[in-house]
Amino acid sequence: MPTALVTGITGQDGSYLTELLLSKGYVVHGLIRRSSTFNTQRIDHLYLDPHDPRARLFLHYADLTDGSRLATLLSQIRPDEIYNLAAQSHVRVSFDEPEYTGDTTGLGTIRLLEAIRQSVPEAKFYQASSSEMFGAANPPQNESTEFYPRSPYGVAKVYSYWITKNYREAYGLFTTNGILFNHESPRRGETFVTRKITRAVARIAKGQQKELFLGNLDARRDWGYAPEYVVGMWKILQVDKPDDYVIGTGTDFSVKDFVRLAFEHVDLDWEKFVRFDEKYLRPTEVDSLVADASKAEGELGWKASVGPEQLAAIMVEHDIATINGFVPDKPVGTVWAEAVS
Ligand code: NAP
Ligand code: GDD
């Protein structure tokens, strides 16, 4: 059985990727941060007690700011594939905590790459690069577009992108970048704009909330569906020669468009509920991100099938179902549980 190591396993993408890898027969090792409260809700449905002979998911305490711990774990686990998804991933927060964001989202990658170089140079490495690196560059953006990051987060991701490429060229390591555009799901963190909107729409529809405060409604994004994007991550590590790929839908919607779609799904007029609060503005904004993912389609056979309209519907339905006490969001996990029982 192939062995994968996933950093950021407790996040949105980590949970979907783990479901995918388990369904493909991998043994998965995930790094989690020690917290005073439980932070494994997104992967609890996949976890079996390690004493259970069927267990194929193992969790280890680690932090990307602790290089010696990463080195120890890599030399013990000796994974075939490493997916670096851990990051301080919130762009607005990166303006409040720029130094910490640089340490985790930037330097964290070099700590991991050094541990790979020393202990498991044969392992394949995936770096979670981001369309945020394109920043002010004109859309559509592809692998040849010059980076122009507009946030401490974007700058840290550019560092990680280049150090990943440098370790490929300098040491011949199998290191890759997936440059993923925004992808969302019912598991999306609650302070990212799509989930903030769909949760509010569900609560407003149920009479539990009166208003929704947002910042810039004019920014344009290419929103896709996260479960499809983790397939792209896996495919990037299955090619013969390591390379960098843009992953996105190619669609172009504004925040206002997404708001309208989400409210229309429950037959409400968004303008009656949405208010402006300047605290959600960023010192520098990324105005427009639209993917040209033709290289991924041609070389990986990867293409998005869910666009923003369907995505808004999936997320609003989920958030309404959650209020109603029913959570239907475990399709792949269910397959995995059935496969081992
Ligand atoms: P997410 O939900 O915010 O998850 C981030 C993960 O990183 C969590 O598991 C978090 O752990 C972990 N983490 C944060 N700081 C850490 C540290 N110092 N040491 C170890 N782990 C740490 O992010 P996501 O949406 O799944 O995105 C996954 C990756 O793709 C991130 O690197 C993100 O920057 C990148 N990306 C995301 C998108 C997108 O649209 N979602 C697009 C492009 C790139 P806790 O649970 O303990 O906080
Ligand atoms: N979060 C948030 N909250 N964003 C708002 C709000 C609000 O109340 N109001 C307007 N926005 C706007 C932001 O200014 C931004 O232009 C857009 O909505 C999207 O914001 P986010 O959902 O926070 O995502 P992001 O595009 O900044 O960053 C996400 O995508 C990147 C890939 O392009 C994150 O997932 C990053 O980790 C990822 O790399």
Side-chain angles (χ1 to χ4, degrees):
M1 283 191 270
T3 299
L5 182 137
V6 180
T7 76
I9 195 168
T10 54
Q12 169 189 259
D13 291 3
S15 67
Y16 286 119
L17 178 66
T18 301
E19 287 178 358
L20 179 76
L21 295 173
L22 291 173
S23 74
K24 289 183 178 295
Y26 281 68
V27 170
V28 180
H29 292 264
L31 306 192
I32 60 169
R33 297 197 287 178
R34 146 70 192 155
S35 156
S36 66
T37 52
F38 290 125
N39 60 356
T40 54
Q41 296 87 335
R42 291 189 179 103
I43 51 170
D44 282 344
H45 61 292
L46 301 172
Y47 191 72
L48 292 174
D49 186 287
H51 302 101
D52 188 321
R54 299 170 305 167
R56 282 194 284 126
L57 169 60
F58 304 96
L59 300 177
H60 312 268
Y61 284 116
D63 195 298
L64 280 196
T65 57
D66 182 352
S68 61
R69 176 63 173 151
L70 297 175
T72 303
L73 281 173
L74 279 190
S75 63
Q76 287 170 355
I77 297 167
R78 308 199 65 77
D80 303 299
E81 297 178 7
I82 297 161
Y83 296 86
N84 183 29
L85 309 186
Q88 191 303 91
S89 71
H90 202 283
V91 173
R92 180 67 193 82
V93 172
S94 78
F95 288 100
D96 301 327
E97 299 187 358
E99 185 181 333
Y100 176 73
T101 302
D103 197 2
T104 302
T105 307
L107 290 180
T109 308
I110 190 68
R111 295 189 184 100
L112 200 47
L113 284 167
E114 263 302 282
I116 293 169
R117 187 169 79 84
Q118 309 276 354
S119 313
V120 279
E122 67 286 359
K124 296 179 180 181
F125 177 78
Y126 173 90
Q127 169 59 22
S129 284
S130 165
S131 52
E132 186 71 13
M133 302 189 303
F134 295 124
N138 287 333
Q141 295 99 354
N142 64 24
E143 294 80 1
S144 310
T145 306
E146 211 170 309
F147 300 138
Y148 188 157
R150 298 267 286 171
S151 64
Y153 167 83
V155 172
K157 283 286 185 187
V158 170
Y159 173 82
S160 286
Y161 169 91
W162 279 112
I163 202 66
T164 297
K165 214 169 159 103
N166 179 247
Y167 269 48
R168 184 193 311 159
E169 293 169 0
Y171 303 116
L173 301 187
F174 195 110
T175 61
T176 67
N177 283 288
I179 307 174
L180 272 54
F181 283 62
N182 298 51
H183 46 281
E184 322 291 314
S185 74
R187 294 186 200 166
R188 183 59 144 153
E190 289 84 352
T191 61
F192 295 97
V193 79
T194 55
R195 189 77 199 289
K196 181 173 170 182
I197 294 165
T198 62
R199 282 181 88 226
V201 165
R203 288 172 57 80
I204 288 169
K206 289 281 176 184
Q208 296 181 356
Q209 186 173 327
K210 289 191 164 43
E211 298 169 308
L212 166 61
F213 287 93
L214 293 172
N216 176 18
L217 299 187
D218 295 324
R220 308 190 75 83
R221 290 290 182 276
D222 175 339
W223 283 293
Y225 187 40
E228 297 191 323
Y229 283 49
V230 302
V231 175
M233 294 177 188
W234 178 77
K235 281 180 176 258
I236 287 172
L237 282 197
Q238 310 314 311
V239 294
D240 293 335
K241 217 167 128 267
D243 207 345
D244 309 314
Y245 294 91
V246 158
I247 297 280
T249 69
T251 57
D252 178 8
F253 282 66
S254 67
V255 174
K256 194 188 289 175
D257 292 332
F258 194 92
V259 168
R260 184 179 41 75
L261 287 171
F263 275 92
E264 276 176 4
H265 193 70
V266 291
D267 295 326
L268 290 175
D269 175 3
W270 71 272
E271 291 186 80
K272 294 192 175 133
F273 303 96
V274 174
R275 310 279 175 262
F276 172 71
D277 187 336
E278 66 178 7
K279 90 172 175 200
Y280 298 114
L281 298 179
R282 289 138 193 219
T284 40
E285 175 64 284
V286 169
D287 294 328
S288 185
L289 296 173
V290 182
D292 164 12
S294 43
K295 180 177 170 184
E297 186 177 355
E299 294 186 16
L300 306 175
W302 184 92
K303 194 174 182 339
S305 67
V306 176
E309 297 99 330
Q310 201 186 341
L311 179 65
I314 291 169
M315 292 174 69
V316 170
E317 285 298 323
H318 170 91
D319 287 330
I320 290 174
T322 304
I323 293 176
N324 290 341
F326 172 68
V327 185
D329 178 42
K330 294 192 173 70
V332 190
T334 311
V335 171
W336 145 246
E338 281 167 4
V340 297
S341 59

